[in-house]
Amino acid sequence: MSAAPKTLVIRNGTLIDGSGKPAGRNDAIVIEGNRIKSVGALPPDVTLEDRRNVQVIDAAGQWIMPGLIDAHCHMSYGYPMIKGEGKGKGTTRPEFSTLKSARSAQKVLRAGVTSISVPGGTWFTDVGVRDAIRLGLMHGPRMFVAGRMIVTYGCIEDDEPSWEGTPDHSIGKLCNTADEMVTEVRRQGKHGVNFIKMADSRSGESQMLAKEEIAAVVGEAHRRNLKVAIHSRGAGSTRAAAEAGVDWIVHADLATERDLEAVAKAGMPILPTATFLSVVIELGKKVGAEQVQLDINRMQRHYELLGKLMHKARELGIRLLVGTDTGNNAFTPHGELHAKELEIFVKHGGYSPMEAIVAATRDNAIAVGLDGRVGEVAPGKLADIIVLDKDPVADITVLQGGKHLTRVIKDGRQIDLDPRDEMLQFQQAAE
Ligand SMILES: [Zn+2]
């Protein structure tokens, strides 16, 4: 963390402000503390020669935009697997998961992602890492976190036989009645989560959460100022989630036109998350489907449906959120894929690069509980800004992997980008 001067000024360059307005010439962006004070002409009370209090960044020949938001990024599970440990989604020990998550959070930030929404994890690891970042113990993105996903028998993340249930280290938490769900909402709320993640069936072919159960969770969560998100590929669960008033729906790929109309009427966004599918499909082609241990044909079908969903959502005026499912597996490493979804929005969803950027910045702020407060370079907004040496509107892929980043500013402070050179590669299995 560099010592923060009172005022930071970014001069010159091309500004993409996150509002969707065409990119334009930047004169001066003035940041005071953790907020943007002004954008445009340099205010008369800012003296660039005052070196002690004013730091100037010259972005001539570069592109300035809001920090990216990944609305779907897991931190506390996925990899590595450690020999001799209990079966789980990656390591099952909270101590190890916390350290791994802390390390990964720094990679995420250095990739230009200044906020993430974490829809599910192990223990209360993500709450701890969020707070460590907030308290200045370490660098990392703003984190908006859920706890273990609320599931019934047979839902995604109910992986053990019924006589085992969901062990404490699982990312799912079995609750087979509305009462049990409400109790779990209260327990997670007590431990400091920002939102509740519910999860219906894996593939969406059958509906495993009743509308009344979803409504019970929404009622309890909202009373406690917690948001609710749901993994819902299915048609029935998507309609039920819409009618029960969840805050956003993850996937929704099997939803029919009429289900989507129900979503549009209720007004919540959808978070398609096509990146994970595209990575699995690519990997399956490369190493063979058996290696990935995932049903590539099913993934391909979901992927194609998500492309159609993106078009339909736009017609119906449904806001789409941009997320990747980074960190849910060994092949979705932190820091690499956070901007891949924007490329998919452009390639398959009918979005222009500028529209994809708005979706991943201003429009994504709702998934981190900061709607209207972050995701735009405008006066009064939180000062999360990235600077690139290539134009992301000309080529949306330049946002990927942090390769074209020259600066990352989070909360008004510049982040040291150098340590990305020494990033550790996790071993899939420790010997
Ligand atoms: Zn996920």
Side-chain angles (χ1 to χ4, degrees):
M1 198 176 285
S2 52
K6 262 176 62 192
T7 304
L8 188 61
V9 182
I10 307 172
R11 300 225 60 179
N12 307 315
T14 303
L15 175 62
I16 299 158
D17 70 4
S19 74
K21 191 168 87 182
R25 209 184 69 80
N26 172 53
D27 185 355
I29 298 161
V30 179
I31 297 163
E32 264 183 15
N34 70 341
R35 280 182 197 280
I36 298 167
K37 175 186 151 112
S38 69
V39 180
L42 194 69
D45 61 329
V46 177
T47 314
L48 296 183
E49 290 71 35
D50 179 4
R51 290 287 160 87
R52 191 134 46 119
N53 294 310
V54 180
Q55 187 193 347
V56 181
I57 292 171
D58 184 0
Q62 304 192 51
W63 287 263
I64 306 154
M65 61 173 272
L68 292 167
I69 299 173
D70 189 338
H72 192 158
C73 180
H74 298 286
M75 299 302 287
S76 58
Y77 69 93
Y79 64 101
M81 293 289 198
I82 296 180
K83 247 186 189 168
E85 253 191 35
K87 187 171 154 273
K89 290 235 161 138
T91 178
T92 52
R93 279 177 289 159
E95 303 86 350
F96 186 91
S97 293
T98 308
L99 287 170
K100 192 209 80 164
S101 176
R103 178 79 181 166
S104 302
Q106 294 167 41
K107 292 186 190 182
V108 170
L109 181 59
R110 290 192 194 110
V113 181
T114 46
S115 297
I116 56 173
S117 189
V118 185
T122 58
W123 308 95
F124 288 106
T125 299
D126 300 313
V127 172
V129 173
R130 176 200 67 196
D131 291 348
I133 293 167
R134 205 187 258 166
L135 293 169
L137 265 66
M138 51 174 268
H139 274 318
R142 299 173 196 282
M143 285 171 66
F144 196 73
V145 310
R148 291 165 64 186
M149 303 174 203
I150 292 180
V151 298
T152 62
Y153 279 138
C155 284
I156 189 170
E157 315 308 355
D158 172 34
D159 296 330
E160 304 290 334
S162 64
W163 55 90
E164 294 292 342
T166 42
D168 286 353
H169 63 260
S170 309
I171 57 174
K173 169 78 180 166
L174 267 177
C175 300
N176 274 304
T177 66
D179 282 353
E180 285 173 11
M181 291 175 188
V182 165
T183 302
E184 181 62 12
V185 170
R186 291 176 172 165
R187 190 180 80 92
Q188 293 191 8
K190 175 185 165 72
H191 284 276
V193 301
N194 303 109
F195 69 105
I196 302 297
K197 172 80 180 287
M198 302 191 81
D200 200 272
S201 66
R202 183 176 295 275
S203 65
E205 307 291 2
S206 47
Q207 184 185 347
M208 301 203 178
L209 295 170
K211 183 174 135 189
E212 295 70 30
E213 290 168 335
I214 305 171
V217 166
V218 168
E220 186 61 31
H222 284 180
R223 228 163 31 75
R224 291 176 179 243
N225 294 321
L226 304 171
K227 306 272 185 208
V228 178
I230 185 169
H231 165 99
S232 168
R233 292 202 180 276
S237 55
T238 296
R239 173 184 283 265
E243 289 170 358
V246 305
D247 294 280
W248 62 93
I249 298 170
V250 188
H251 308 305
D253 37 340
L254 302 182
T256 65
E257 195 93 30
R258 282 188 56 219
D259 302 319
L260 290 178
E261 277 163 15
V263 175
K265 189 167 162 231
M268 68 279 292
I270 291 175
L271 169 58
T273 318
T275 297
F276 172 68
L277 301 171
S278 89
V279 172
V280 171
I281 294 162
E282 279 305 306
L283 197 69
K285 277 185 207 151
K286 233 191 317 189
V287 300
E290 325 72 55
Q291 290 272 339
V292 208
Q293 291 185 343
L294 288 160
D295 183 346
I296 304 291
N297 289 334
R298 178 167 77 79
M299 296 294 175
Q300 183 74 46
R301 193 179 74 231
H302 286 307
Y303 187 73
E304 284 160 17
L305 285 169
L306 282 182
K308 288 193 186 122
L309 169 81
M310 290 173 191
H311 287 277
K312 272 194 259 168
R314 178 199 294 265
E315 284 164 26
L316 293 167
I318 298 169
R319 186 200 291 208
L320 289 187
L321 305 179
V322 181
T324 60
D325 231 335
T326 285
N328 74 346
N329 241 300
F331 49 82
T332 51
H334 295 93
E336 304 285 322
L337 297 164
H338 308 286
K340 176 81 183 162
E341 191 83 358
L342 287 86
E343 182 192 349
I344 297 172
F345 270 45
V346 171
K347 263 194 189 159
H348 303 293
Y351 276 55
S352 71
M354 184 60 93
E355 287 168 339
I357 288 171
V358 173
T361 55
R362 185 192 69 185
D363 287 0
N364 244 4
I366 196 170
V368 292
L370 291 170
D371 204 18
R373 294 170 61 199
V374 82
E376 271 184 272
V377 181
K381 307 289 180 189
L382 291 164
D384 292 2
I385 294 173
I386 58 176
V387 184
L388 301 141
D389 64 12
K390 257 187 131 177
D391 181 2
V393 178
D395 176 6
I396 198 71
T397 66
V398 309
L399 290 169
Q400 292 177 23
K403 288 185 276 295
H404 292 283
L405 281 176
T406 61
R407 313 261 181 183
V408 173
I409 296 160
K410 186 207 146 200
D411 237 354
R413 283 169 170 263
Q414 275 201 79
I415 304 303
D416 187 359
L417 296 180
D418 284 342
R420 65 183 159 178
D421 295 330
E422 56 185 53
M423 274 180 190
L424 301 174
Q425 291 298 320
F426 288 119
Q427 301 293 319
Q428 173 61 10
E431 290 305 318

